[in-house]
Amino acid sequence: MSAIPLEALPIDELRQRSSTKWRRYPADVLPLFVAETDFALAPAISRALVRAVERGDTGYTPPEPGIRDAFVGFAQRRYGWSVEPAGVRWTCDVIMGVVELLRVVTKPGDRVIVTPPVYPPFYDTVVEAGAVVEKVPLLHGDAGWQLDLPGIEAALAAGARCVLLCNPHNPTGTVHSKASLAALADLAEAFGAAVISDEIHAPLVQSTVTFTPFLEASAAAARVGYIVTSASKAFNTAGLKCALMVASDPATIGVVQALPAEVEWRTGLFGAMAAVASFSPESDEWLDSLLARLDENARLLADLLAEHVPEAKYEIPDAGFLAWVDLSALGWGANPAERILHEARVALNAGPDFGEQGSGHVRINFGCSPDVLRDAIERIGVMTRS
């Protein structure tokens, strides 16, 4: 039986939240920018956190908080992936995990490939690790968004030492194919490079799409790759601070295990508790309902844009709650989000923040109620007629 779509909280209740999404802009602005969603927590998470508060359980995260076993079970149930437990460690958040791994697999001044348009912190992350950003943009055609494998090969041949992958990709929502990931792994291995795959949006892949964790793409992927992931995007727990680093080959497992103990100490205790609850079977039904809602909203957004902003170009994503929308045809400049905020009072992410390929684009967060989404697009539609 199909899951019943999850219902978002009323907007008046959401405006009582103190997170970035609801505090950055005045109350007359509809916030569809930062990757926070508008749903109540999964019940298992709420129960775990309430119990912790009631007993004053707010100290340091223990050496074995249960994250490893919970994630191993989740990966097996949701992806059919048998994770090697010895290859799992945890830290504060995905970007911190990426930085720590980059520091190990690169030397200062090494070049790291990123694939724009891509999550803006990727650029700063590479720099923070002491490396240099090498841009190899995604290709876009009739088959959608794809890795530019010849471009990546050229960059690796010229000396790049690592590929920072986003799978599923943010902002396009692309789930890279197993064949593409395996080809990337072969290139990395041929040139002695590593691949670090940010898979934070993996729990949000739609059931009609086949998701392959990078480490499962091939034997070569296991040898060259690392995954950094978290429950935080799917279960809206970013403020609680917990992510995982995963490896599956003896050599890469050794790298992960050799990371300083301080890397794990940075994990928030509430983040660890929330991760265990998120990855537990108790939360599967909630996640399925969330996916049903996101599928409906992604399709609703396509209909709303066709009706109110027909000049927009948008492809329904394979995963997540983020829409990459090309508004170039409207002639609103490189950063239409700025004008939309001023005139429509709708906050969207600025396309150029994702790289120069984002000129004329916006990123829309549709992890909200259909009514909020409808209101936002109707407001933008009024702008096109003024």
Side-chain angles (χ1 to χ4, degrees):
M1 188 173 69
S2 299
I4 298 173
L6 197 62
E7 296 298 331
L9 296 171
I11 194 164
D12 289 345
E13 185 174 338
L14 290 165
R15 291 199 183 280
Q16 297 175 37
R17 288 182 171 179
S18 58
S19 62
T20 292
K21 184 173 186 180
W22 298 99
R23 285 292 184 267
R24 182 168 177 180
Y25 295 106
D28 66 325
V29 172
L30 288 178
L32 275 67
F33 67 113
V34 70
E36 299 178 25
T37 55
D38 295 354
F39 308 98
L41 289 175
I45 300 174
S46 295
R47 287 194 296 270
L49 297 178
V50 168
R51 285 197 299 265
V53 170
E54 288 176 343
R55 60 179 175 254
D57 192 2
T58 55
Y60 291 109
T61 304
E64 294 293 338
I67 299 170
R68 177 186 292 108
D69 290 345
F71 180 72
V72 167
F74 180 86
Q76 186 65 58
R77 292 194 315 277
R78 307 295 295 197
Y79 316 138
W81 174 25
S82 297
V83 175
E84 173 52 57
V88 181
R89 290 190 70 187
W90 39 94
T91 190
C92 179
D93 56 38
V94 162
I95 290 300
M96 186 172 289
V98 169
V99 170
E100 294 296 340
L101 289 171
L102 281 173
R103 286 174 174 155
V104 175
V105 303
T106 65
K107 301 187 302 293
D110 280 350
R111 284 177 288 128
V112 175
I113 296 168
V114 300
T115 55
V118 73
Y119 184 49
F122 270 27
Y123 303 106
D124 293 336
T125 295
V126 172
V127 174
E128 183 180 347
V132 177
V133 172
E134 174 94 1
K135 300 176 184 176
V136 181
L138 294 179
L139 299 176
H140 186 246
D142 293 340
W145 296 92
Q146 296 182 340
L147 295 171
D148 179 0
L149 293 169
I152 291 172
E153 181 176 16
L156 291 170
R161 305 304 302 155
C162 183
V163 180
L164 182 50
L165 180 69
C166 199
N167 181 43
H169 195 87
N170 177 3
T172 64
T174 305
V175 171
H176 297 298
S177 71
K178 182 176 183 179
S180 180
L181 297 175
L184 173 63
D186 287 343
L187 290 174
E189 187 166 55
F191 291 101
V195 177
I196 300 173
S197 184
D198 172 357
E199 300 189 0
I200 195 171
H201 293 275
L204 295 172
V205 174
Q206 286 295 336
S207 60
T208 55
V209 179
T210 300
F211 170 72
T212 303
F214 179 76
L215 298 179
E216 287 288 277
S218 67
R223 290 191 293 268
V224 303
Y226 303 86
I227 285 173
V228 189
T229 190
S230 175
S232 63
K233 280 292 181 287
F235 293 91
N236 204 41
T237 55
L240 301 181
K241 296 301 179 185
C242 179
L244 299 94
M245 299 162 291
V246 187
S248 59
D249 181 80
T252 53
I253 289 172
V255 169
V256 169
Q257 289 179 336
L259 291 170
E262 183 61 31
V263 173
E264 280 189 1
W265 272 101
R266 297 168 186 160
T267 307
L269 179 58
F270 277 15
M273 293 175 183
V276 171
S278 299
F279 291 137
S280 74
E282 287 182 274
S283 293
D284 283 353
E285 183 178 353
W286 183 95
L287 181 56
D288 289 338
S289 292
L290 172 65
L291 289 170
R293 167 55 60 206
L294 297 182
D295 180 56
E296 288 195 1
N297 281 7
R299 297 175 191 283
L300 173 62
L301 177 58
D303 293 340
L304 290 170
L305 289 170
E307 179 180 357
H308 299 285
V309 194
E311 300 86 354
K313 296 179 181 178
Y314 158 64
E315 297 170 15
I316 293 175
D318 297 327
F321 51 84
L322 304 171
W324 188 236
V325 182
D326 184 356
L327 299 180
S328 301
L330 291 169
W332 290 352
N335 184 14
E338 187 173 25
R339 180 170 174 179
I340 291 169
L341 176 61
H342 177 71
E343 296 185 23
R345 308 303 284 163
V346 177
L348 308 176
N349 285 106
D353 289 348
F354 296 81
E356 60 189 58
Q357 295 76 18
S359 179
H361 290 65
V362 295
R363 193 187 75 174
I364 301 175
N365 177 346
F366 57 83
C368 58
S369 73
D371 288 342
V372 167
L373 188 59
R374 186 174 293 106
D375 187 2
I377 303 307
E378 287 177 354
R379 292 188 191 191
I380 297 171
V382 171
M383 291 174 57
T384 69
R385 298 189 295 274
S386 61

